[in-house]
Amino acid sequence: MTDHTDIPALMKDIGERARAAAAELAFAKPEAKKAALEAAAEEVLRRRDEIKAANAKDQEFATEKGISPAMMDRLKLDDDRIQSIVDGLRAIAAQDDPVGAVLTEWDMPSGLNIRRVRTPLGVVGVIYESRPNVTADAGALCLKSGNAVILRGGSEGLNSSSILTECLKTGLEKAGLPTDAIQLVPTRDRAAVSEMLKATDYIDVIVPRGGKGLVGLVQREARVPVFAHLEGIVHIYVDKAADPKKALEVVLNAKTRRTGICGAAECLLVHEDLKDGLGREIVAALVKAGVNVHAAPEFQSVEGTTPATDEDWGREYLDMDIAAKTVRDVDGAIEHIRAYSSNHTDGILTEDKAAAERFFERVDSAILVHNASTQFADGGEFGMGAEIGIATGKMHARGPVGAEQLTSFKYLVVGDGAVRS
């Protein structure tokens, strides 16, 4: 390994080894990739106590660093979260292999048979904050899709991510696959991020996963293509035809289940006809649950609310806070979301099928949810096993980025001596 003090040399070495591994992994047998992921899952289980001990060191480092409670929650690994990592690895292993899948096929009058088939992107660079589970998720999804991956986790999660990377490498080794297919940048030096962003010779796409500061930096400075979302400014609209019980339970879950994830609701919109009934009931329930409701004037009479300011609309709190206001109807909700949404996830609660269809048709977010919590905005909940991130752009990847979206395609053209006139 290159000296960690020479960051350009370190990243060049990692990049060269990743590119070589990607060339071999691109045609690896599905059975080998599945075996690698299953072996990695077993290794995570076997080393569970080591992972928790390493995570305790990370939490101590993070406390000294003074990171936010939301970031601390993302960093934490306990038995349940480690089991979720294991379950995710196994779920990805069980999925159909996307590489080589025929997307479409046709014959031409010239005698040519043409197939469009999935092919890996090559080398994926993942830059993320806090969450060591991303190490496993990203490594597994890249492996499944035939890509090598370079992981640059947050400095506060280095110990946890190092052991999880070792588990993934053990899986690769047992399956006879190149262990350089999954590499963790072994330094907290931020210069490594800058090197990744300009590594066009080695990295095919960058996936940033973190807060607005990190993602904004990547989008501004990257020379490598980027799959990203800047923020999760998530709205949930309670329509006048909403079922009261569903609405109350879903809004509370959307806000309070885990406040530090990008699918957490940040703005509550309520049909104006419900202002003095269900709307007040939901706002009061949020306050009772410990949420600081930044309320528009129509809800400020609810005890415990805070008056909203202009800055509260379009704000990602990632904490026990939510903005709340009324809108005239579903079109009013759509107008507000168009003005303030980050095109990540937005939801509607209604029993009116036409209102739900109008919302789905006219809101242009990557994920739209009807009568369900926005906290389902997650690749694991979509049946992908995990996600490498949620993309809000419209080029190539959108929504939860799983194994399929980590592939491109190529054309296989077959003739029988065909010549062009």
Side-chain angles (χ1 to χ4, degrees):
M1 173 59 71
T2 310
D3 185 355
H4 294 181
T5 61
D6 186 348
I7 300 301
L10 169 68
M11 298 311 297
K12 181 175 184 290
D13 178 56
I14 289 174
E16 288 175 345
R17 290 189 288 120
R19 179 60 70 192
E24 188 175 342
L25 197 63
F27 55 84
K29 298 295 183 186
E31 297 80 11
K33 290 187 278 183
K34 180 179 180 181
L37 290 167
E38 289 174 343
E42 291 301 317
E43 190 71 1
V44 171
L45 271 180
R46 188 182 73 82
R47 300 184 67 177
R48 176 169 32 198
D49 290 341
E50 285 182 69
I51 294 168
K52 287 190 291 184
N55 189 248
K57 291 181 182 178
D58 287 335
Q59 291 184 61
E60 183 180 347
F61 176 83
T63 300
E64 293 173 358
K65 190 178 175 183
I67 71 169
S68 69
M71 294 280 277
M72 187 66 82
D73 177 64
R74 292 181 177 193
L75 174 63
K76 182 181 178 182
L77 289 179
D78 54 21
D79 284 328
D80 288 342
R81 292 187 182 182
I82 291 171
Q83 186 61 51
S84 294
I85 289 173
V86 172
D87 293 343
L89 290 169
R90 288 172 173 166
I92 295 167
Q95 291 174 355
D96 291 338
D97 194 298
V99 180
V102 178
L103 299 173
T104 188
E105 180 177 8
W106 66 97
D107 293 314
M108 295 297 294
S110 59
L112 298 180
N113 171 263
I114 302 173
R115 287 174 288 157
R116 185 189 301 142
V117 302
R118 290 195 185 280
T119 186
L121 295 174
V123 177
V124 179
V126 185
I127 302 169
Y128 51 104
E129 295 173 329
S130 291
R131 303 174 67 163
N133 66 294
V134 174
T135 304
D137 292 350
L141 288 168
C142 288
L143 169 57
K144 186 72 174 186
S145 53
N147 296 290
V149 62
I150 299 171
L151 302 161
R152 204 289 183 178
S155 60
E156 63 279 356
L158 183 59
N159 294 298
S160 307
S161 290
S162 295
I163 296 182
L164 287 169
T165 302
E166 290 172 11
C167 293
L168 293 167
K169 285 179 169 290
T170 295
L172 289 166
E173 186 175 12
K174 288 185 175 180
L177 296 174
T179 57
D180 285 338
I182 300 173
Q183 297 181 76
L184 178 72
V185 177
T187 176
R188 291 187 170 101
D189 195 322
R190 293 191 177 187
V193 173
S194 298
E195 291 298 319
M196 288 179 70
L197 297 181
K198 60 187 181 184
T200 53
D201 289 341
Y202 308 114
I203 299 177
D204 295 284
V205 66
I206 291 282
V207 182
R209 190 162 175 181
K212 184 176 182 179
L214 169 67
V215 179
L217 168 73
V218 170
Q219 290 180 321
R220 288 192 306 273
E221 298 189 7
R223 297 181 195 171
V224 179
V226 176
F227 294 163
H229 75 267
L230 194 59
E231 293 178 283
I233 301 171
V234 176
H235 299 79
I236 191 158
Y237 165 60
V238 182
D239 186 52
K240 69 177 180 179
D243 177 278
K245 183 174 184 294
K246 289 180 190 175
L248 185 60
E249 292 178 353
V250 169
V251 171
L252 282 170
N253 181 268
K255 177 68 261 182
T256 67
R257 174 188 165 270
R258 286 188 68 188
T259 59
I261 64 173
C262 56
E266 306 288 22
C267 183
L268 170 66
L269 303 174
V270 179
H271 192 288
E272 62 183 6
D273 289 357
L274 304 178
K275 177 182 67 173
D276 297 321
L278 180 59
R280 286 181 61 87
E281 183 181 351
I282 293 173
V283 170
L286 286 164
V287 171
K288 185 178 179 181
V291 179
N292 182 17
V293 179
H294 301 255
E298 56 268 26
F299 289 132
Q300 288 175 14
S301 61
V302 177
E303 187 176 354
T305 59
T306 299
T309 67
D310 290 343
E311 287 71 35
D312 287 308
W313 315 117
R315 181 175 175 183
E316 184 182 39
Y317 297 102
L318 296 175
D319 208 340
M320 287 287 277
D321 293 78
I322 194 169
K325 66 176 290 187
T326 59
V327 290
R328 69 180 186 276
D329 54 16
V330 66
D331 286 333
I334 292 166
E335 288 173 12
H336 181 94
I337 291 168
R338 284 178 176 171
Y340 296 105
S341 175
S342 58
N343 302 118
H344 186 292
T345 301
D346 296 292
I348 180 172
L349 293 162
T350 187
E351 300 304 306
D352 182 344
K353 184 178 179 182
E357 289 177 348
R358 189 174 184 84
F359 187 89
F360 273 17
E361 178 183 63
R362 300 192 177 205
V363 177
D364 190 27
S365 295
I367 302 170
L368 296 173
V369 183
H370 174 210
N371 284 351
S373 173
T374 57
Q375 298 248 347
F376 284 108
D378 177 88
E381 295 296 332
F382 278 35
M384 299 175 179
E387 67 186 36
I388 201 169
I390 293 182
T392 54
K394 298 181 182 180
M395 301 300 289
H396 184 80
R398 200 173 196 211
V401 180
E404 278 192 3
Q405 294 203 59
L406 292 173
T407 61
S408 182
F409 56 82
K410 59 186 176 184
Y411 292 93
L412 305 183
V413 183
V414 178
D416 185 19
V419 295
R420 184 172 177 178
S421 61

